[in-house]
Amino acid sequence: ILCCGWRGGGGLALDTLANNLNEDYRHRVSIHEAGHLLAGYLLGVMPQKYSLSSLEAYQAEKLLNVQAGTIFLDSSLQQLNKMTEESLQRFAIISLAGSAAEYVIFDKCEGGETDIVMLKSVLRAKKSDKAEIKRTNRWAALAAVSLLREQGETLERLAAAMRRRADIKECIHIIESTHQQPNN
């Protein structure tokens, strides 16, 4: 299970308030989570579920320290000591795909700090040094932006469906029916 999420600052109360009062905030969070979900799916990692707010995540997980996020099923990512180089690369791209989606749609990103921290933690656990962590972060960010660059329509449609609380099956249908093949 891989979980990536958006955190623009604030906990359960602030996130709930922002979600209820600010349409731009809801849109940005949905684009961020759509980025994780789309990148994961395009890289062959099946999404299991998502949430677009700390309150949704709290209601689903019954934990206070939760936030918006996307959960994937991938057995190659469940045990750190068995993670291959290929699965680590997928993990890195998916981890940074939320911020990449924000960049693609809004030309800047405001969320994703937790995703970066999670990726750095995994890389440290895999015994990467600071220089390797920095290289991997840069590479994964570039790879995520490259993967999502031509997916603006798919990102927007997926994010809109997620704001309507579409189930994973509908999200996958949207991806498969609107996703753009890369230009060669």
Side-chain angles (χ1 to χ4, degrees):
I1 296 176
L2 164 68
C3 183
C4 300
W6 190 89
R7 186 170 191 274
L12 179 61
L14 285 176
D15 180 65
T16 300
L17 187 62
N19 261 293
N20 288 324
L21 299 177
N22 188 329
E23 178 58 33
D24 291 339
Y25 179 87
R26 280 192 305 277
H27 184 222
R28 183 172 289 279
V29 172
S30 67
I31 289 291
H32 184 102
E33 294 310 322
H36 288 304
L37 200 149
L38 177 58
Y41 188 78
L42 294 178
L43 293 171
V45 182
M46 185 59 74
Q48 180 186 23
K49 61 183 174 178
Y50 65 89
S51 65
L52 296 181
S53 72
S54 295
L55 182 60
E56 280 180 32
Y58 168 75
Q59 290 169 334
E61 305 300 328
K62 305 297 184 234
L63 299 170
L64 285 175
N65 190 23
V66 291
Q67 60 193 23
T70 304
I71 297 175
F72 296 90
L73 296 173
D74 189 331
S75 60
S76 70
L77 301 177
Q78 290 181 356
Q79 293 181 324
L80 190 60
N81 62 340
K82 294 184 179 179
M83 193 180 285
T84 65
E85 185 62 30
E86 182 182 327
S87 60
L88 182 61
Q89 289 175 354
R90 274 196 323 264
F91 176 83
I93 294 169
I94 295 166
S95 293
L96 300 184
S99 295
E102 287 187 59
Y103 178 78
V104 165
I105 299 298
F106 303 115
D107 291 325
K108 68 177 184 171
C109 57
E110 294 179 5
E113 295 90 355
T114 304
D115 298 330
I116 293 168
V117 168
M118 180 178 60
L119 176 56
K120 285 181 180 179
S121 295
V122 168
L123 293 170
R124 278 190 208 106
K126 294 289 285 178
K127 306 297 186 214
S128 298
D129 62 24
K130 287 182 181 183
E132 181 62 24
I133 290 170
K134 192 173 187 176
R135 278 192 302 275
T136 300
N137 277 326
R138 285 182 179 165
W139 171 84
L142 179 60
V145 168
S146 296
L147 181 66
L148 299 176
R149 182 181 299 132
E150 296 182 24
Q151 304 302 326
E153 178 186 356
T154 303
L155 280 168
E156 289 286 5
R157 286 186 179 187
L158 184 57
M162 291 168 78
R163 286 192 304 275
R164 290 190 322 270
R165 305 304 187 256
D167 62 18
I168 290 296
K169 184 176 178 181
E170 183 180 346
C171 291
I172 290 170
H173 175 75
I174 290 166
I175 293 169
E176 290 179 348
S177 66
T178 62
H179 133 261
Q180 298 295 308
Q181 295 293 331
N183 292 331
N184 294 325

